[in-house]
């Protein structure tokens, strides 16, 4: 005879009707099961023996963990993880493991929040072990944001969840050493690493697979990344793919929209959920964005499921209409108009910081003209690194990065989770809040503290740092105007967005998706430049007139700049000087006491310089470096009076990095090299 079930009042007295109803249902289930077991039917009792034992264990676990409805823990989890969400988001977070999930998430719809809350729910409510959960993010910034949100939601247990980019996951699987290859300047083949990781997983089917796998930005995966996800997902893995075919923008890099389109066939059965409530942008911005994307063929969400303002924001003011400016296609002239628009924006809001404004363009060529104009006009700006870049030179090769590596190499004892470098980088960044390299290193140190083992040796931390630094990530100073391509803006948002159009956009669905991504980065205001005459037609014949009549769009003729640039100024561009065009061994050929080393020590990123012929000078006219002999074309451009520019970074070089043929000429074991960018005259 089994024990009689407890009544709802015995379980947890509570005045909340919903909780009492849940407790009643649990008691009824127990009573029904006991009645069946005690029915006298031996065959039935035998068949129900194991299910009954599992149910009793589950109920006891609920009691032991204080998770019965009405309990303090139950209420805390509900309030912390579920109440902040919309009903659709909530259903995704607490969904049972019955097949895989495809989440088609529109821009600004809270997809990162859903992933973070779902993982926290698995950790806290479902008691899934952290080591059984893997989340793959598109880039370092997205991975770091997800880690931070997880830690805020779930605390210390979240540290055991694997949150990495696809490349970092491949590196972890194959165990490739990075520090040595960095020291010798050996280039790393990331595509090959992904292939090696897939081959390893396929060769070891017995290797444990995660029970829960999350993949963000599924629509922009390359074939190698797609294969990695397939190899990571075991027969018992629950896969949640989050993406949006409307935001597929990396086809040029090998990404295929077909991967998200065939997800339901690859992993059937699949439950598909649409996230359409936008928490970011105003109704005018969303209306224009919807007109931009509407002509695209074969949209998975369909024209009858537009992204719209979240219900929680419906009582807010509608916001300013989107400004559509017919502008000259010549990059210098349009850069002057954009700069005037930025200045007006700053003048209208005294509390607005330049870093809250982003200027987006199709190509870096358009941004280079604006960057040069900002330098000449004294407005601080920062241009974002190329997305998905895997340059051999990273922030760790800079003077500041070398100091961080030296710090890690000093102690003989292990560092607890990289806390020491994080504290040190944080101190340096607070001392120099406008220094871009220190801000980058602070981000890097914070990520290290999140992913490093609990007690890691110095070599292990160095390996982790090199792995993280391979993918560029720029924090962005709040006091500097943000310049970036539309590709680089993926996943970001800004209060004010200006999109340039120097006739470098192209016709077609791929470009329309990219323009849609650019437009949906805006929170408060959006300004679209439209080149006249237009070669691409992306902003033509899409029904914008109806939006104008509704007060959602404001077409404007190109205003005259406050100070029209003269012809030479309008043709100027900012040109980054490649490290290959710099004589990297110049200071190394000088003895340690040479005055050049003292001059270099006084320089910092952002300092102005001038390039005259091959010679790089500081503002006092003192030489601080020179071009390599292969940079003949740039040397001719820099004939007297030279080209103005600035230092982008101070590299640290070592004897081991020089080719053997050049080592005999070196007189230093370590020296510094200024990297620069200069303003050049480059008419269209």
């Amino acid at each position: 005879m089994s024990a009689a079930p407890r009544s709802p009042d015995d379980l947890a007295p509570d005045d909340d009707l919903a909780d009492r109803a849940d407790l009643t249902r649990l008691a009824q289930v127990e009573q029904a099961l006991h009645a069946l077991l005690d029915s006298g039917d031996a065959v039935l009792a035998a068949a129900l023996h194991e299910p009954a034992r599992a149910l009793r264990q589950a109920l006891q676990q609920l009691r032991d963990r204080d998770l019965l409805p009405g309990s303090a823990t139950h209420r805390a989890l509900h309030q912390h993880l579920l109440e902040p969400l919309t009903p659709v988001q909530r259903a995704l977070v607490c969904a049972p493991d019955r097949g895989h999930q495809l989440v088609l998430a529109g821009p600004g719809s809270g997809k990162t929040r859903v992933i973070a809350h779902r993982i926290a729910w698995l950790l806290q409510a479902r008691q899934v072990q952290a080591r059984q959960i893997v989340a793959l993010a598109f880039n370092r910034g997205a991975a770091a944001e997800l880690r931070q949100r997880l830690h805020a939601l779930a605390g210390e247990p979240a540290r055991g969840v694997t949150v990495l980019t696809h490349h970092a996951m491949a590196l972890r699987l194959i165990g490739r050493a990075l520090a040595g290859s960095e020291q010798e300047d050996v280039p790393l083949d990331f595509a090959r690493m992904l292939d090696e990781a897939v081959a390893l997983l396929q060769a070891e089917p017995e290797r444990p697979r995660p029970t829960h796998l999350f993949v963000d930005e599924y629509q922009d995966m390359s074939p190698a990344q797609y294969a990695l996800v397939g190899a990571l997902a075991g027969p018992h893995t629950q896969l949640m793919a989050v993406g949006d075919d409307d935001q597929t923008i990396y086809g040029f890099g090998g990404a295929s929209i077909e991967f998200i389109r065939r997800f339901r066939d690859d992993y059937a059965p699949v439950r598909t959920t649409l996230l359409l409530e936008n928490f970011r942008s105003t109704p005018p911005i969303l209306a224009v964005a919807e007109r931009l994307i509407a002509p695209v063929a074969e949209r998975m969400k369909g024209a009858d499921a537009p992204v719209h303002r979240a219900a929680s924001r419906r009582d807010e003011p509608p916001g300013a209409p989107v400004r559509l400016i017919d502008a000259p296609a010549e990059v210098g002239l349009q850069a002057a108009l954009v700069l005037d628009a930025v200045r007006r924006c700053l003048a209208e809001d005294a509390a607005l910081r330049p870093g809250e404004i982003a200027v987006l363009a199709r190509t870096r060529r358009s941004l280079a003209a604006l960057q040069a104009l900002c330098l000449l006009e004294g407005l601080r700006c920062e241009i974002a690194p190329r997305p998905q870049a895997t340059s051999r030179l990273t922030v760790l090769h800079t003077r500041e990065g070398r100091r961080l590596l030296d710090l890690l190499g000093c102690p003989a004892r292990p560092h607890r989770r990289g806390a020491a470098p994080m504290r040190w980088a944080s101190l340096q960044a607070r001392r120099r809040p406008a220094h871009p390299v220190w801000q980058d290193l602070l981000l890097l140190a914070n990520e290290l503290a999140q992913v490093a083992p609990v007690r890691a040796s110095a070599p292990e931390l160095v390996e982790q740092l090199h792995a993280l630094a391979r993918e560029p990530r720029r924090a962005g100073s709040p006091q500097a105007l943000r310049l970036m391509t539309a590709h680089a803006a993926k996943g970001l948002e800004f209060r004010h967005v200006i999109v340039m159009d120097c006739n470098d956009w192209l016709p077609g669905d791929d470009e329309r998706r990219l323009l849609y991504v650019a437009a949906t980065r805006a929170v408060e205001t959006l300004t679209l430049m439209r080149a006249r005459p237009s070669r691409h037609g992306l902003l033509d014949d899409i029904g914008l007139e109806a939006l104008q009549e509704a007060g959602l769009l404001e077409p404007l003729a190109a205003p005259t700049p406050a100070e029209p640039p003269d012809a030479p100024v309008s043709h100027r561009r900012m040109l980054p000087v490649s490290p290959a065009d710099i004589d990297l061994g110049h200071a190394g050929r000088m003895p340690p006491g040479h005055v050049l080393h003292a001059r270099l020590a006084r320089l910092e990123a952002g300092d102005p310089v001038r390039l005259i012929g091959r010679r790089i000078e500081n503002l006092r006219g003192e030489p601080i470096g020179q071009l390599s002999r292969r940079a003949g074309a740039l040397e001719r451009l820099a004939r007297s009076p030279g080209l103005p520019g600035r230092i982008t970074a101070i590299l640290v070089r070592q004897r081991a990095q020089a080719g053997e043929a050049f080592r005999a000429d070196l007189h230093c074991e370590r020296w510094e090299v200024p990297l620069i960018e200069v303003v050049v005259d480059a008419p269209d």
Side-chain angles (χ1 to χ4, degrees):
M1 190 78 173
S2 49
R6 294 186 288 172
S7 71
D9 290 334
D10 294 330
L11 289 171
D14 197 282
D15 292 332
D16 185 277
L17 295 179
D19 286 340
R20 289 178 64 83
D22 288 340
L23 289 171
T24 298
R25 282 190 287 269
L26 285 174
Q28 290 171 345
V29 170
E30 280 193 286
Q31 290 169 350
L33 186 60
H34 282 290
L36 290 171
L37 290 172
D38 297 339
S39 65
D41 189 324
V43 175
L44 182 61
L48 289 174
H49 176 74
E50 283 302 316
R53 185 173 66 86
L55 178 61
R56 284 194 293 268
Q57 287 179 343
L59 290 173
Q60 188 59 47
Q61 286 179 354
L62 287 175
R63 297 183 183 105
D64 293 343
R65 288 156 44 196
D66 194 32
L67 284 175
L68 283 171
S71 70
T73 303
H74 180 279
R75 284 184 172 278
L77 283 178
H78 193 279
Q79 182 178 13
H80 187 49
L81 296 180
L82 299 182
E83 285 187 8
L85 307 177
T86 68
V88 176
Q89 292 173 334
R90 193 177 303 135
L92 285 168
V93 166
C94 59
D97 288 344
R98 295 174 186 162
H100 306 289
Q101 296 189 75
L102 173 62
V103 183
L104 296 176
S109 60
K111 64 185 179 64
T112 305
R113 169 184 278 191
V114 167
I115 295 172
H117 280 247
R118 172 64 174 172
I119 294 175
W121 179 263
L122 293 173
L123 292 172
Q124 296 181 318
R126 297 274 300 281
Q127 296 293 293
V128 175
Q129 295 296 310
R131 67 176 184 275
Q132 295 179 328
I133 303 174
V134 172
L136 297 181
F138 181 76
N139 56 29
R140 276 181 55 210
E145 180 184 358
L146 181 54
R147 290 190 206 102
Q148 291 165 1
R149 292 199 188 194
L150 273 178
H151 191 267
L153 289 171
E156 192 65 17
R159 200 178 292 278
V161 176
T162 298
V163 182
L164 297 170
T165 65
H166 294 79
H167 289 139
M169 187 72 215
L171 285 168
R172 176 174 291 190
L173 286 167
I174 65 178
R176 178 73 65 87
L178 282 175
S181 55
E182 291 279 347
Q183 181 71 19
E184 299 301 326
D185 276 358
V186 177
L188 298 175
D189 188 339
F190 275 76
R192 182 176 178 182
M193 288 181 186
L194 287 169
D195 292 340
E196 289 179 8
V198 171
L200 175 67
L201 290 169
Q202 292 174 340
E204 299 180 4
E206 72 285 353
R207 178 189 283 260
R209 274 12 183 217
T211 60
H212 294 82
L213 176 59
F214 297 81
V215 184
D216 194 9
E217 303 288 0
Y218 200 91
Q219 80 282 354
D220 267 327
M221 289 197 305
S222 68
Q225 292 169 335
Y226 173 78
L228 178 66
V229 171
L232 270 175
H236 303 294
T237 299
Q238 295 295 316
L239 175 57
M240 176 184 277
V242 183
D244 182 9
D245 60 308
D246 286 343
Q247 299 184 70
T248 304
I249 61 174
Y250 278 98
F252 72 92
S256 173
I257 197 172
E258 293 306 317
F259 295 146
I260 192 169
R261 285 176 173 169
R262 71 189 193 207
F263 180 85
R264 285 175 281 214
D265 294 329
D266 289 341
Y267 295 100
V270 170
R271 284 176 293 120
T272 301
T273 303
L274 305 185
L275 290 181
L276 301 175
E277 290 191 67
N278 180 284
F279 297 88
R280 175 188 299 154
S281 305
T282 62
I285 294 171
L286 294 177
V288 170
E290 191 62 31
R291 291 299 177 105
L292 287 173
I293 198 65
V296 171
E298 299 182 60
R299 297 174 62 201
M300 294 179 70
K301 295 195 296 294
D304 57 344
V307 174
H308 54 272
R309 188 176 228 183
S312 60
R313 299 189 61 202
R314 284 177 185 164
D315 293 335
E316 297 179 15
V322 173
R323 287 180 292 180
L324 178 64
I325 299 178
D326 286 334
E330 198 280 315
V331 291
L333 294 176
Q334 192 168 128
L337 293 176
V338 169
L339 185 58
D340 271 6
V342 169
R343 284 174 168 159
R344 282 195 297 270
C345 197
L346 292 169
E348 291 169 0
D349 184 352
L352 180 66
R353 297 178 296 180
E356 297 175 290
I357 306 173
V359 179
L360 311 183
R362 175 61 181 84
T363 62
R364 294 176 74 89
R365 169 180 166 274
S366 298
L367 296 173
L370 179 58
Q371 188 184 16
L373 192 56
C374 287
L375 178 68
L376 296 172
E377 296 292 327
L379 177 65
R380 280 192 60 195
C381 68
E382 290 182 2
I383 189 164
R386 296 177 186 275
Q388 294 186 318
T390 52
S391 169
R392 288 161 57 182
L393 291 177
T394 73
V395 69
L396 294 177
H397 290 91
T398 66
R399 172 198 289 160
E400 297 81 6
R402 176 51 57 184
R403 289 178 65 186
L404 181 59
L405 293 175
D406 289 345
L407 173 71
L408 290 176
C410 287
R413 59 182 177 82
H415 300 276
R416 182 171 176 79
R417 296 193 192 97
M422 184 181 70
R423 287 194 300 269
W424 181 78
S426 179
L427 175 62
Q428 304 300 324
R430 284 199 304 270
R431 288 174 175 172
R432 305 296 305 280
H435 197 297
V437 180
W438 280 125
Q439 299 304 317
D440 286 354
L441 284 171
L442 177 58
L443 286 175
L444 196 61
N446 281 330
E447 291 175 54
L448 178 68
Q450 292 167 354
V451 304
V454 174
R455 295 193 66 81
S457 67
E460 288 173 326
L461 291 177
V462 170
E463 291 292 336
Q464 290 273 8
L465 273 176
H466 279 296
L468 291 169
R470 295 303 301 181
E471 297 178 61
R473 183 183 176 206
R474 175 54 60 86
S477 168
Q479 300 304 325
L481 177 67
R482 304 294 301 277
L483 310 181
M484 61 188 68
T485 64
H487 288 99
K490 178 176 179 174
L492 303 177
E493 63 179 43
F494 304 91
R495 287 181 61 187
H496 306 279
V497 170
I498 302 171
V499 182
M500 297 183 72
D501 176 12
C502 298
N503 261 334
D504 41 4
W505 295 86
L506 303 172
D509 283 356
D510 289 345
E511 295 286 300
R512 190 169 291 282
R513 293 188 188 98
L514 183 59
L515 186 55
Y516 175 74
V517 168
T520 53
R521 301 310 93 195
V523 175
E524 296 179 18
T525 71
L526 171 64
T527 300
L528 298 173
M529 297 290 179
R530 178 168 61 178
R532 281 294 181 249
S534 174
R535 298 175 187 169
H536 52 77
L538 296 178
L539 292 168
D540 299 331
D541 302 323
I542 57 173
L544 294 181
E545 296 78 12
L547 297 183
Q548 180 182 355
E549 293 175 3
L552 300 173
L553 181 74
E554 181 182 9
L556 298 170
T560 302
E563 297 181 8
D566 56 33
V569 170
S570 70
H571 290 145
R572 288 180 178 175
R573 312 282 182 271
M574 187 68 85
L575 176 69
V577 180
S578 166
D581 290 332
I582 300 286
D583 183 352
L584 299 178
H586 177 62
R589 295 192 293 273
M590 308 298 169
H594 195 278
V595 67
L596 176 58
H597 300 295
R599 289 177 192 154
L600 289 169
R602 291 192 293 267
L603 295 173
E604 290 189 349
D607 284 354
V609 296
R610 180 166 288 276
L611 178 64
I612 302 179
R614 285 187 64 197
R615 192 165 74 169
I616 305 170
E617 297 181 350
N618 60 23
L619 286 190
R620 291 186 293 273
E622 300 166 334
I624 56 172
Q626 65 181 25
L627 299 180
S628 65
R629 296 192 181 279
R630 56 160 280 175
L634 181 56
E635 180 183 348
R636 289 188 291 274
L637 281 175
R639 290 172 180 163
S640 183
L643 303 174
R646 65 169 189 163
I647 294 175
T648 56
I650 304 289
L651 291 187
V652 174
R653 296 286 291 178
Q654 300 182 87
R655 178 183 291 270
Q657 294 173 297
E660 289 190 15
F662 302 100
R663 292 179 187 175
D665 296 328
L666 297 175
H667 297 285
C668 297
E669 293 300 315
R670 182 187 288 192
W671 63 94
E672 294 184 334
V673 183
L675 291 187
I676 64 171
E677 56 188 8
V678 294
V679 177
V680 299
D681 186 20
D684 288 343

